[in-house]
Amino acid sequence: MKILILGGTRFVGRHMLELAGARGHALTLFHRGKTQPAGLPDAEHILGDREGDLSALRGRAWDAVVDTSGYVPQAVRASAQALRDAAPHYTFISTISVYADHATPDADESHALATLPAEQVAQISSASQITGENYGALKALCEAEVAAAFPGRACVVRPGLIVGPYDPTDRFTYWVRRVVQGGDILAPQALDARWQVIDARDLAAWVLDLAERRHTGVFNATGPAPEHPLTMAAVLDAAAALRPDVPRRLISVSDAFLKAEELDSWQHLPLVLPADSAEHAGFYRVDCRRAIAAGLTFRPIADTVRDTLLWDAAREGPLATGLSPQREAQALDKWRVQPG
């Protein structure tokens, strides 16, 4: 197949590029040329800006389009409409953040979507204007633009938290690196809390499957499967097993202590949600059975942890998120002298 990827030089797109090449597909990447890391497999690169000039896409044809970089409805509308006669199938990578709330456990693809007033949408013309508050609603509007341009020919994939090698957020990587380093590790109380994540390589492989089959519909894509629930403790145990010779001790602190120390339960302790938060009761309990029925599979979490560590070991510099060693040490010192 001839596949056009909008974006594709980072994270999921990069894994998709590697997998597509291995399957014998011919890949074209449309991107701005600002993120072009070394080691990318051979592919045709078309430089352009989806928020501006799309002329480089005119007069071309592909068997499928995969959109990994759509965030602004106006830009997605322009690219989808420009490509509606250039390809028979369009896959849009969305997010579970499109849902109006995450208070309902086991919510499926029919759950209510987030909305945004039209006057606010009209003022957003660039991805640089996206915030945590408007991100989900904008993605939902992007989905609608794709469906309008490719009626009956579109597939929308709503991943949960994507993890693994090339992850620019470092949220999952923080815990892998920190556990392997050893020592006293500040951790939340609810280590048995459910997590849902998806390895970027599993997501990339499945999206390619969907494009090859020209599958349509909307799918939540996060895991693992319901009969094999994942916990934070399982992730930390898998990381510890990689370096059993390193002494380490998890020190679980209360949510109240984290709040008092102004340690955000997402930024400073990535992927951790307050244990008693009804608002987030369904965030790690999204129904992904439709995607599993359509062929989505999940590799063992130990493989994701191992490969994330191998990738991280080849990098330099601090992580993009998580506690610094100094801040962690300060917090642990205060916790140790707590009364009781």
Side-chain angles (χ1 to χ4, degrees):
M1 294 177 62
K2 294 170 61 180
I3 302 175
L4 170 66
I5 300 181
L6 301 179
T9 59
R10 301 177 68 190
F11 205 19
V12 176
R14 183 167 179 175
H15 287 297
M16 198 175 305
L17 181 59
E18 294 173 350
L19 289 166
R23 295 185 186 187
H25 298 311
L27 269 291
T28 300
L29 273 65
F30 179 78
H31 60 98
R32 295 175 298 173
K34 293 185 177 181
T35 305
Q36 215 169 334
L40 282 179
D42 291 337
E44 177 188 12
H45 293 258
I46 299 178
L47 299 185
D49 190 342
R50 66 183 304 161
E51 294 178 1
D53 185 9
L54 297 170
S55 60
L57 296 176
R58 293 177 187 150
R60 299 288 301 271
W62 292 273
D63 298 306
V65 176
V66 178
D67 189 343
T68 71
S69 60
Y71 301 97
V72 179
Q74 296 92 320
V76 171
R77 179 192 310 133
S79 57
Q81 291 182 351
L83 292 165
R84 59 186 172 187
D85 295 324
H89 188 266
Y90 194 115
T91 302
F92 182 71
I93 308 298
S94 187
T95 169
I96 61 168
S97 294
V98 296
Y99 296 116
D101 66 81
H102 293 287
T104 305
D106 305 315
D108 63 14
E109 291 83 355
S110 66
H111 197 66
L113 300 180
T115 60
L116 202 63
E119 57 271 19
Q120 292 187 29
V121 177
Q123 296 174 359
I124 298 172
S125 59
S126 169
S128 62
Q129 297 171 275
I130 294 174
T131 66
E133 287 69 36
N134 63 27
Y135 170 67
L138 290 173
K139 273 289 200 177
L141 291 169
C142 290
E143 293 182 4
E145 295 293 350
V146 170
F150 282 75
R153 299 186 290 140
C155 184
V156 172
V157 177
R158 295 172 177 165
L161 291 162
I162 308 172
V163 301
Y166 307 147
D167 179 4
T169 72
D170 285 332
R171 293 176 297 204
F172 185 84
T173 309
Y174 169 80
W175 290 109
V176 175
R177 181 191 286 192
R178 184 65 194 88
V179 169
V180 167
Q181 287 173 338
D184 286 351
I185 303 169
L186 190 147
Q189 277 189 325
L191 291 173
D192 59 347
R194 285 270 294 271
W195 272 9
Q196 278 186 317
V197 300
I198 184 167
D199 190 298
R201 296 164 295 181
D202 295 334
L203 178 62
W206 183 61
V207 167
L208 283 175
D209 292 343
L210 296 173
E212 290 167 354
R213 302 196 308 260
R214 295 183 182 176
H215 213 312
T216 60
V218 180
F219 301 92
N220 292 331
T222 186
E227 60 269 25
H228 302 292
L230 178 68
T231 65
M232 180 180 183
V235 172
L236 302 188
D237 288 345
L242 295 172
R243 291 295 305 274
D245 56 312
V246 175
R248 61 181 59 83
R249 181 175 59 162
L250 292 175
I251 300 179
S252 296
V253 304
S254 67
D255 287 346
F257 176 79
L258 293 175
K259 184 176 181 180
E261 289 299 305
E262 297 183 345
L263 295 177
D264 184 82
S265 61
W266 190 260
Q267 172 65 25
H268 296 107
L269 295 182
L271 308 187
V272 174
L273 295 172
D276 59 350
S277 174
E279 178 185 357
H280 298 103
F283 186 81
Y284 284 132
R285 293 182 64 98
V286 175
D287 186 339
C288 54
R289 288 177 295 178
R290 181 183 293 181
I292 293 171
L296 177 61
T297 60
F298 311 96
R299 69 191 63 209
I301 193 63
D303 291 358
T304 300
V305 169
R306 178 199 64 217
D307 295 343
T308 299
L309 178 63
L310 291 172
W311 164 73
D312 181 51
R315 300 192 300 164
E316 296 181 357
L319 294 172
T321 190
L323 285 169
S324 68
Q326 296 79 12
R327 186 69 183 90
E328 181 185 37
Q330 291 171 358
L332 286 173
D333 286 344
K334 287 189 177 182
W335 175 256
R336 293 186 182 101
V337 297
Q338 290 285 300

